[in-house]
Amino acid sequence: MEITMEEKNSYLSADPETIRQIDEKMPPEEELQDLAEFFKVFGDATRLKILSVLLCSEMCVYDIAMLLGMSQSAISHQLRVLKQMDLVKNRRDGKTIFYALADDHIITILNQGLNHIEEG
């Protein structure tokens, strides 16, 4: 259902200053789409388990798989998704690749999410 220009300019209780502030602060559509994709990554329990492991320590696929009782291929697949979204980074040590959280923002997001859940 499309909103007409007349409907768009008539608000029940929002004053013009509030509407102006919202219009100024609303991110562009492309950024909102990117943000939605970013948060979708957190919508999978396996990925959250992997991120929780990496909160504690850098780790290789084999060790993550053993800790979580999953196959290496399943862990590798989820790590690929996390890496594509810049949530994890990796480094090579000989033949072994170690994974870690990409930056402190990820730690903050995970901790804030857990705090929110625990308060409820």
Side-chain angles (χ1 to χ4, degrees), residues 15-78:
D15 63 271
E17 179 58 21
T18 300
I19 301 303
R20 186 191 64 72
Q21 288 176 9
I22 291 168
D23 285 342
E24 283 180 5
K25 292 181 181 183
M26 183 67 67
E29 186 66 28
E30 185 177 320
E31 283 183 22
L32 290 171
Q33 290 299 326
D34 290 345
L35 187 60
E37 289 299 315
F38 175 77
F39 280 114
K40 279 183 189 177
V41 174
F42 293 95
D44 180 272
T46 299
R47 289 192 289 264
L48 288 173
K49 287 177 186 178
I50 293 168
L51 292 171
S52 294
V53 166
L54 298 178
L55 266 172
C56 297
S57 177
E58 172 185 77
M59 209 164 279
C60 68
V61 172
Y62 179 83
D63 289 342
I64 296 169
M66 293 302 293
L67 268 169
L68 299 181
M70 298 177 68
S71 70
Q72 289 183 55
S73 64
I75 298 299
S76 291
H77 170 74
Q78 297 301 341

Coordinates of all heavy atoms in Angstrom, one line a residue, residues 15-78:
D15 N 6.0 16.0 15.8 CA 6.1 17.4 15.4 C 7.2 17.6 14.3 O 8.0 16.7 14.1 CB 6.5 18.3 16.6 CG 7.9 17.9 17.2 OD1 7.9 17.0 18.1 OD2 8.9 18.5 16.7
P16 N 7.1 18.7 13.6 CA 8.0 18.9 12.4 C 9.5 18.8 12.8 O 10.3 18.2 12.0 CB 7.7 20.3 11.9 CG 6.3 20.5 12.4 CD 6.2 19.8 13.7
E17 N 9.9 19.2 13.9 CA 11.3 19.1 14.3 C 11.7 17.7 14.5 O 12.8 17.3 14.1 CB 11.6 19.9 15.6 CG 13.0 19.9 16.1 CD 14.0 20.4 15.1 OE1 13.7 21.2 14.2 OE2 15.2 20.0 15.3
T18 N 10.9 16.9 15.1 CA 11.2 15.5 15.3 C 11.3 14.8 13.9 O 12.2 14.0 13.7 CB 10.1 14.8 16.1 OG1 10.1 15.4 17.4 CG2 10.4 13.3 16.3
I19 N 10.4 15.1 13.0 CA 10.4 14.5 11.7 C 11.7 14.9 10.9 O 12.4 14.1 10.3 CB 9.2 15.0 10.9 CG1 7.9 14.5 11.5 CG2 9.3 14.4 9.4 CD1 7.8 13.0 11.8
R20 N 12.1 16.2 11.1 CA 13.3 16.7 10.4 C 14.6 15.9 11.0 O 15.4 15.5 10.2 CB 13.5 18.2 10.7 CG 14.7 18.8 9.9 CD 15.0 20.2 10.4 NE 15.4 20.3 11.8 CZ 16.6 19.9 12.2 NH1 17.5 19.3 11.4 NH2 16.9 20.0 13.5
Q21 N 14.6 15.7 12.3 CA 15.7 15.0 12.9 C 15.8 13.5 12.4 O 16.9 13.0 12.2 CB 15.6 15.0 14.4 CG 15.9 16.4 15.0 CD 15.7 16.4 16.5 OE1 15.5 15.4 17.2 NE2 15.8 17.6 17.1
I22 N 14.7 12.9 12.3 CA 14.6 11.5 11.9 C 15.1 11.5 10.4 O 15.9 10.6 10.1 CB 13.2 11.0 12.0 CG1 12.9 10.8 13.5 CG2 13.1 9.6 11.2 CD1 11.4 10.5 13.8
D23 N 14.6 12.4 9.6 CA 15.0 12.4 8.2 C 16.5 12.6 8.1 O 17.2 12.0 7.2 CB 14.3 13.5 7.4 CG 12.9 13.2 7.1 OD1 12.5 12.0 7.2 OD2 12.1 14.1 6.8
E24 N 17.1 13.4 8.9 CA 18.6 13.7 8.9 C 19.4 12.5 9.3 O 20.5 12.2 8.8 CB 18.9 14.9 9.8 CG 18.6 16.2 9.2 CD 19.0 17.4 10.1 OE1 19.6 17.1 11.2 OE2 18.7 18.5 9.7
K25 N 18.9 11.7 10.3 CA 19.6 10.6 10.9 C 19.4 9.3 10.2 O 20.1 8.4 10.5 CB 19.3 10.5 12.4 CG 19.8 11.7 13.2 CD 19.5 11.6 14.7 CE 20.0 12.8 15.4 NZ 19.8 12.7 16.8
M26 N 18.3 9.2 9.4 CA 18.0 7.9 8.8 C 19.1 7.6 7.8 O 19.4 8.4 6.9 CB 16.7 8.0 8.0 CG 16.3 6.7 7.4 SD 15.9 5.4 8.5 CE 14.4 6.0 9.3
P27 N 19.8 6.4 8.0 CA 20.8 6.0 7.0 C 20.3 5.8 5.6 O 19.1 5.5 5.5 CB 21.4 4.7 7.6 CG 20.9 4.7 9.0 CD 19.6 5.5 9.1
P28 N 21.1 6.0 4.6 CA 20.7 5.7 3.2 C 20.2 4.2 3.1 O 20.6 3.3 3.9 CB 21.9 5.9 2.4 CG 22.8 6.7 3.2 CD 22.5 6.4 4.7
E29 N 19.3 4.0 2.2 CA 18.7 2.6 2.0 C 19.8 1.6 1.8 O 19.7 0.5 2.4 CB 17.8 2.7 0.7 CG 17.0 1.4 0.5 CD 16.0 1.1 1.6 OE1 15.5 2.0 2.3 OE2 15.8 -0.1 1.9
E30 N 20.8 1.9 1.0 CA 21.9 0.9 0.8 C 22.6 0.5 2.1 O 22.9 -0.7 2.4 CB 22.9 1.4 -0.2 CG 24.0 0.4 -0.5 CD 25.0 0.9 -1.6 OE1 24.5 1.6 -2.5 OE2 26.2 0.6 -1.5
E31 N 22.8 1.5 3.0 CA 23.5 1.2 4.3 C 22.5 0.3 5.2 O 23.0 -0.6 5.9 CB 23.8 2.5 5.0 CG 25.1 3.1 4.5 CD 25.4 4.4 5.3 OE1 25.0 4.5 6.5 OE2 26.2 5.2 4.8
L32 N 21.2 0.6 5.1 CA 20.3 -0.2 5.9 C 20.2 -1.6 5.4 O 20.2 -2.5 6.2 CB 18.9 0.5 5.8 CG 18.7 1.8 6.5 CD1 17.4 2.4 6.2 CD2 18.9 1.6 8.0
Q33 N 20.3 -1.8 4.1 CA 20.4 -3.2 3.5 C 21.6 -3.9 4.0 O 21.6 -5.1 4.3 CB 20.3 -3.1 2.0 CG 18.9 -2.7 1.4 CD 17.8 -3.6 1.9 OE1 18.0 -4.8 2.0 NE2 16.6 -3.0 2.1
D34 N 22.8 -3.2 3.9 CA 24.0 -3.8 4.4 C 24.0 -4.1 5.9 O 24.4 -5.2 6.3 CB 25.2 -2.8 4.1 CG 25.5 -2.7 2.7 OD1 25.1 -3.5 1.8 OD2 26.3 -1.7 2.3
L35 N 23.4 -3.3 6.7 CA 23.2 -3.5 8.1 C 22.3 -4.7 8.3 O 22.6 -5.6 9.2 CB 22.7 -2.3 8.8 CG 22.6 -2.3 10.3 CD1 24.0 -2.5 10.9 CD2 21.9 -1.1 10.8
A36 N 21.2 -4.9 7.6 CA 20.4 -6.0 7.7 C 21.1 -7.3 7.4 O 21.0 -8.3 8.1 CB 19.1 -5.9 6.8
E37 N 21.9 -7.3 6.3 CA 22.7 -8.5 6.0 C 23.7 -8.8 7.1 O 24.0 -9.9 7.4 CB 23.5 -8.2 4.6 CG 22.6 -8.2 3.4 CD 21.8 -9.6 3.2 OE1 22.5 -10.6 3.4 OE2 20.6 -9.5 3.0
F38 N 24.3 -7.7 7.6 CA 25.3 -7.9 8.7 C 24.6 -8.6 9.9 O 25.2 -9.6 10.4 CB 25.8 -6.5 9.2 CG 26.7 -6.5 10.3 CD1 28.0 -7.0 10.2 CD2 26.3 -6.1 11.6 CE1 28.9 -6.9 11.3 CE2 27.1 -6.1 12.7 CZ 28.4 -6.5 12.6
F39 N 23.5 -8.2 10.3 CA 22.8 -8.8 11.5 C 22.2 -10.2 11.2 O 22.1 -11.0 12.1 CB 21.7 -7.9 12.0 CG 22.3 -6.8 12.9 CD1 22.2 -5.5 12.5 CD2 22.9 -7.1 14.1 CE1 22.7 -4.5 13.3 CE2 23.5 -6.1 14.9 CZ 23.4 -4.8 14.5
K40 N 22.0 -10.5 9.9 CA 21.5 -11.8 9.5 C 22.6 -12.9 9.9 O 22.2 -14.0 10.3 CB 21.2 -11.9 8.0 CG 19.9 -11.4 7.6 CD 19.7 -11.6 6.1 CE 18.5 -10.9 5.6 NZ 18.3 -11.1 4.2
V41 N 23.8 -12.5 9.8 CA 24.9 -13.4 10.1 C 24.8 -13.9 11.6 O 25.1 -15.0 11.9 CB 26.3 -12.8 9.9 CG1 27.4 -13.6 10.3 CG2 26.4 -12.5 8.4
F42 N 24.3 -13.0 12.5 CA 24.2 -13.3 13.9 C 22.9 -14.2 14.1 O 22.7 -14.6 15.3 CB 24.1 -12.1 14.7 CG 25.4 -11.3 14.7 CD1 25.6 -10.3 13.8 CD2 26.4 -11.6 15.6 CE1 26.8 -9.5 13.8 CE2 27.6 -10.9 15.6 CZ 27.8 -9.9 14.7
G43 N 22.1 -14.5 13.1 CA 20.9 -15.2 13.2 C 21.1 -16.7 13.1 O 20.1 -17.4 13.0
D44 N 22.3 -17.2 13.2 CA 22.6 -18.6 13.1 C 23.3 -19.1 14.4 O 24.4 -18.6 14.7 CB 23.4 -18.9 11.8 CG 23.7 -20.3 11.7 OD1 24.8 -20.8 12.2 OD2 23.0 -21.0 11.0
A45 N 22.8 -20.1 15.1 CA 23.4 -20.6 16.3 C 24.8 -21.1 16.1 O 25.7 -20.9 17.0 CB 22.5 -21.6 17.0
T46 N 25.1 -21.8 15.0 CA 26.4 -22.3 14.8 C 27.4 -21.2 14.7 O 28.5 -21.2 15.2 CB 26.4 -23.2 13.5 OG1 25.6 -24.3 13.7 CG2 27.8 -23.7 13.3
R47 N 27.1 -20.2 13.9 CA 28.0 -19.0 13.8 C 28.2 -18.3 15.1 O 29.3 -17.9 15.4 CB 27.5 -18.1 12.7 CG 27.6 -18.6 11.3 CD 27.4 -17.6 10.2 NE 26.0 -17.2 10.1 CZ 25.1 -17.6 9.2 NH1 25.5 -18.6 8.4 NH2 23.9 -17.2 9.2
L48 N 27.1 -18.2 15.9 CA 27.3 -17.6 17.2 C 28.2 -18.5 18.1 O 29.0 -17.9 18.9 CB 25.9 -17.4 17.9 CG 25.1 -16.3 17.3 CD1 23.7 -16.3 17.9 CD2 25.8 -14.9 17.5
K49 N 28.1 -19.8 18.0 CA 29.0 -20.7 18.8 C 30.4 -20.5 18.4 O 31.3 -20.4 19.2 CB 28.6 -22.1 18.6 CG 27.3 -22.5 19.3 CD 27.0 -24.0 18.9 CE 25.7 -24.4 19.5 NZ 25.3 -25.8 19.1
I50 N 30.7 -20.4 17.1 CA 32.0 -20.1 16.6 C 32.5 -18.8 17.1 O 33.7 -18.7 17.6 CB 32.1 -20.2 15.0 CG1 31.8 -21.6 14.6 CG2 33.4 -19.7 14.5 CD1 31.5 -21.8 13.1
L51 N 31.7 -17.8 17.0 CA 32.2 -16.4 17.5 C 32.4 -16.5 19.0 O 33.4 -15.9 19.5 CB 31.1 -15.4 17.1 CG 30.9 -15.1 15.7 CD1 29.7 -14.2 15.4 CD2 32.2 -14.4 15.1
S52 N 31.6 -17.2 19.7 CA 31.8 -17.4 21.2 C 33.2 -18.1 21.5 O 33.9 -17.7 22.4 CB 30.7 -18.1 21.8 OG 29.5 -17.4 21.7
V53 N 33.5 -19.1 20.7 CA 34.8 -19.7 20.8 C 35.9 -18.7 20.6 O 36.9 -18.6 21.3 CB 34.9 -21.0 19.9 CG1 36.3 -21.5 19.8 CG2 34.0 -22.1 20.3
L54 N 35.8 -18.0 19.5 CA 36.8 -17.0 19.1 C 36.9 -15.8 20.1 O 37.9 -15.1 20.1 CB 36.6 -16.6 17.7 CG 36.7 -17.7 16.6 CD1 36.5 -17.2 15.2 CD2 38.1 -18.4 16.7
L55 N 35.8 -15.6 20.9 CA 35.9 -14.6 21.9 C 37.0 -14.9 22.9 O 37.7 -14.1 23.5 CB 34.6 -14.5 22.7 CG 33.6 -13.5 22.2 CD1 32.3 -13.7 23.0 CD2 34.1 -12.1 22.4
C56 N 37.2 -16.3 23.1 CA 38.2 -16.7 24.1 C 39.6 -16.9 23.5 O 40.5 -16.6 24.3 CB 37.7 -18.1 24.6 SG 36.2 -18.0 25.5
S57 N 39.7 -17.3 22.3 CA 41.0 -17.6 21.8 C 41.0 -17.7 20.2 O 40.0 -18.2 19.7 CB 41.5 -18.9 22.4 OG 42.7 -19.3 21.8
E58 N 42.1 -17.4 19.6 CA 42.3 -17.7 18.2 C 42.3 -19.2 18.1 O 42.8 -19.9 19.0 CB 43.6 -17.1 17.8 CG 44.1 -17.4 16.5 CD 45.5 -16.9 16.2 OE1 46.5 -17.4 16.8 OE2 45.6 -15.9 15.5
M59 N 41.8 -19.8 17.0 CA 41.7 -21.2 16.9 C 41.7 -21.7 15.5 O 41.2 -20.9 14.6 CB 40.5 -21.7 17.7 CG 40.6 -23.1 18.3 SD 39.3 -23.4 19.5 CE 40.1 -22.5 20.9
C60 N 42.1 -22.9 15.3 CA 42.1 -23.5 13.9 C 40.8 -24.2 13.8 O 40.1 -24.5 14.7 CB 43.3 -24.4 13.7 SG 43.2 -25.9 14.7
V61 N 40.4 -24.6 12.5 CA 39.2 -25.2 12.2 C 39.0 -26.6 13.0 O 38.0 -26.9 13.5 CB 39.1 -25.5 10.7 CG1 37.9 -26.4 10.3 CG2 39.0 -24.2 9.9
Y62 N 40.1 -27.3 13.0 CA 40.1 -28.6 13.6 C 39.7 -28.5 15.1 O 38.8 -29.2 15.6 CB 41.4 -29.3 13.5 CG 41.5 -30.7 14.2 CD1 41.0 -31.8 13.6 CD2 41.9 -30.8 15.5 CE1 41.0 -33.0 14.2 CE2 42.0 -32.0 16.2 CZ 41.5 -33.1 15.5 OH 41.5 -34.4 16.2
D63 N 40.3 -27.6 15.8 CA 40.0 -27.4 17.2 C 38.6 -26.9 17.5 O 37.9 -27.3 18.4 CB 41.0 -26.5 17.9 CG 42.4 -27.1 18.1 OD1 42.4 -28.4 18.0 OD2 43.3 -26.4 18.2
I64 N 38.1 -25.9 16.6 CA 36.7 -25.4 16.7 C 35.8 -26.6 16.5 O 34.8 -26.8 17.3 CB 36.5 -24.3 15.7 CG1 37.3 -23.1 16.0 CG2 35.0 -23.9 15.7 CD1 37.3 -22.0 14.9
A65 N 36.0 -27.4 15.5 CA 35.1 -28.6 15.2 C 35.1 -29.5 16.4 O 34.0 -30.0 16.7 CB 35.6 -29.3 13.9
M66 N 36.2 -29.8 17.0 CA 36.3 -30.7 18.1 C 35.5 -30.1 19.3 O 34.7 -30.8 19.9 CB 37.7 -31.0 18.5 CG 38.5 -31.8 17.5 SD 37.8 -33.4 17.1 CE 38.0 -34.3 18.7
L67 N 35.7 -28.9 19.6 CA 35.0 -28.2 20.7 C 33.5 -28.2 20.5 O 32.8 -28.4 21.5 CB 35.5 -26.7 20.8 CG 36.7 -26.4 21.7 CD1 37.1 -25.0 21.4 CD2 36.3 -26.6 23.1
L68 N 33.1 -28.0 19.3 CA 31.6 -27.9 19.1 C 31.0 -29.2 18.7 O 29.8 -29.2 18.5 CB 31.4 -26.8 18.0 CG 31.8 -25.4 18.4 CD1 31.5 -24.4 17.3 CD2 31.2 -24.9 19.7
G69 N 31.8 -30.2 18.5 CA 31.3 -31.5 18.1 C 30.7 -31.5 16.7 O 29.6 -32.1 16.5
M70 N 31.3 -30.8 15.8 CA 30.8 -30.7 14.4 C 31.9 -31.1 13.5 O 33.1 -31.2 13.8 CB 30.4 -29.2 14.2 CG 29.3 -28.8 15.1 SD 28.8 -27.1 14.8 CE 28.2 -27.2 13.2
S71 N 31.5 -31.2 12.2 CA 32.5 -31.6 11.2 C 33.4 -30.4 10.8 O 32.9 -29.2 10.9 CB 31.8 -32.1 9.9 OG 31.2 -31.1 9.3
Q72 N 34.6 -30.6 10.4 CA 35.4 -29.6 9.9 C 34.8 -28.8 8.7 O 35.0 -27.6 8.6 CB 36.8 -30.1 9.6 CG 37.6 -30.5 10.8 CD 39.0 -31.0 10.4 OE1 39.7 -30.3 9.7 NE2 39.4 -32.2 10.7
S73 N 34.2 -29.6 7.8 CA 33.6 -28.9 6.7 C 32.5 -28.0 7.1 O 32.3 -26.9 6.5 CB 33.1 -30.0 5.7 OG 32.0 -30.7 6.2
A74 N 31.7 -28.4 8.1 CA 30.6 -27.5 8.5 C 31.2 -26.2 9.1 O 30.7 -25.1 8.9 CB 29.7 -28.2 9.6
I75 N 32.2 -26.4 9.9 CA 32.9 -25.2 10.6 C 33.5 -24.3 9.5 O 33.4 -23.1 9.5 CB 33.9 -25.7 11.6 CG1 33.3 -26.4 12.7 CG2 34.7 -24.5 12.1 CD1 32.2 -25.6 13.5
S76 N 34.2 -24.9 8.5 CA 34.8 -24.2 7.4 C 33.8 -23.4 6.7 O 34.1 -22.2 6.3 CB 35.6 -25.1 6.5 OG 36.7 -25.7 7.1
H77 N 32.7 -24.0 6.4 CA 31.6 -23.3 5.7 C 31.2 -22.0 6.4 O 31.0 -20.9 5.9 CB 30.4 -24.2 5.4 CG 29.2 -23.5 4.9 ND1 29.2 -23.0 3.6 CD2 28.1 -23.1 5.5 CE1 28.0 -22.4 3.4 NE2 27.3 -22.4 4.5
Q78 N 30.9 -22.2 7.7 CA 30.5 -21.1 8.5 C 31.6 -20.0 8.7 O 31.3 -18.8 8.7 CB 30.0 -21.5 9.9 CG 28.7 -22.4 9.8 CD 27.5 -21.8 9.2 OE1 27.4 -20.6 9.0 NE2 26.6 -22.6 8.7

